[in-house]
Amino acid sequence: SQTIHQWPATLVQPVGSPLSLECTVEGTSNPNLYWYRQAAGRGLQLLFYSVGIGQISSEVPQNLSASRPQDRQFILSSKKLLLSDSGFYLCAWSRQGAADTQYFGPGTRLTVL
Amino acid sequence: GDSVTQMEGPVTLSEEAFLTINCTYTATGYPSLFWYVQYPGEGLQLLLKATKADDKGSNKGFEATYRKETTSFHLEKGSVQVSDSAVYFCALLERNTPLVFGKGTRLSVIA
């Protein structure tokens, strides 16, 4: 069976510091991968998605970036965090090809102070 | 573009009450439709899905029917429990495009 991991689970960072959140998927090959952000009391915002190694599509311009160095690894980064980057970050995966269900990780709670 | 509209919450119900959360959608093609549930402090879990018109998705006592004529996918449960308290998201998916979510509906069930 497939599992998706995210770490860290929680993170408190000062404004201006760098960020690296990691997501890995087990039990499947060549998945589509996604990063979402959920601000407090709000819905989900798609940030990035990837259909393969090194292939990243950005949905919203901001000071975040994503990379996919390996088939089942997806990393969300920032060089300098802003207060507005606080939120709950969710990684998700789906199978390649036809439209298919997305499965979500447990999330990372980021607080920027 | 594609969009999903959910009823605004929060919805507060007593235990054993009947639940309906409305969801309507706009799509150019023939999307798959989903309900996800998010318990406090957790990620999203797939609750149920339907891939074509008139399909009924069901899980854990929840049901939703894909109604193409009314472009709707309303979530229902006959008797809610306190453990059903969560945020519920309706979503649609068309081929080769990312999932489109509604804004979520918070449900609180009181004993």
Side-chain angles (χ1 to χ4, degrees):
Chain A
S1 64
Q2 300 83 19
T3 55
I4 179 169
H5 304 279
Q6 287 186 245
W7 63 88
T10 60
L11 190 60
V12 180
Q13 292 285 92
V15 169
S17 63
L19 173 73
S20 181
L21 303 181
E22 189 166 342
C23 170
T24 59
V25 181
E26 296 177 355
T28 188
S29 298
N30 199 26
N32 292 329
L33 295 171
Y34 309 84
W35 278 113
Y36 291 86
R37 177 169 61 200
Q38 188 177 30
R42 300 180 68 178
L44 290 155
Q45 179 185 35
L46 177 64
L47 302 175
F48 302 95
Y49 68 95
S50 171
V51 299
I53 295 174
Q55 300 178 62
I56 309 293
S57 297
S58 175
E59 291 294 301
V60 183
Q62 54 206 312
N63 71 318
L64 299 171
S65 62
S67 62
R68 184 169 177 173
Q70 300 180 41
D71 180 44
R72 291 171 289 173
Q73 184 184 33
F74 204 23
I75 296 173
L76 184 69
S77 303
S78 174
K79 292 181 179 178
K80 287 187 177 181
L81 283 169
L82 306 173
L83 286 174
S84 58
D85 292 324
S86 293
F88 193 48
Y89 288 82
L90 290 159
C91 182
W93 75 274
S94 68
R95 290 181 180 84
Q96 285 277 1
D100 203 356
T101 305
Q102 286 185 22
Y103 299 94
F104 285 79
T108 294
R109 173 78 56 195
L110 172 65
T111 303
V112 182
L113 302 175
Chain B
D2 295 351
S3 66
V4 174
T5 303
Q6 287 181 238
M7 61 186 292
E8 292 194 18
V11 174
T12 303
L13 295 173
S14 298
E15 208 166 19
E16 299 183 2
F18 185 85
L19 168 71
T20 299
I21 300 178
N22 290 339
C23 171
T24 57
Y25 68 90
T26 302
T28 54
Y30 302 94
S32 296
L33 300 173
F34 304 82
W35 278 102
Y36 284 86
V37 58
Q38 184 179 32
Y39 298 103
E42 298 184 9
L44 274 68
Q45 299 177 26
L46 177 66
L47 182 58
L48 53 84
K49 70 177 184 180
T51 57
K52 60 183 187 298
D54 300 325
D55 269 1
K56 178 186 284 188
S58 61
N59 185 24
K60 299 180 181 179
F62 291 90
E63 292 183 340
T65 302
Y66 189 162
R67 301 285 188 200
K68 188 171 184 295
E69 64 276 14
T70 54
T71 61
S72 65
F73 194 53
H74 305 321
L75 183 68
E76 297 182 335
K77 186 175 185 182
S79 176
V80 293
Q81 305 301 312
V82 172
S83 57
D84 293 326
S85 298
V87 180
Y88 292 81
F89 292 92
C90 185
L92 73 81
L93 183 64
E94 290 204 87
R95 182 181 290 272
N96 297 326
T97 61
L99 205 57
V100 176
F101 283 93
K103 293 186 177 180
T105 302
R106 183 175 299 278
L107 170 66
S108 295
V109 180
I110 53 177

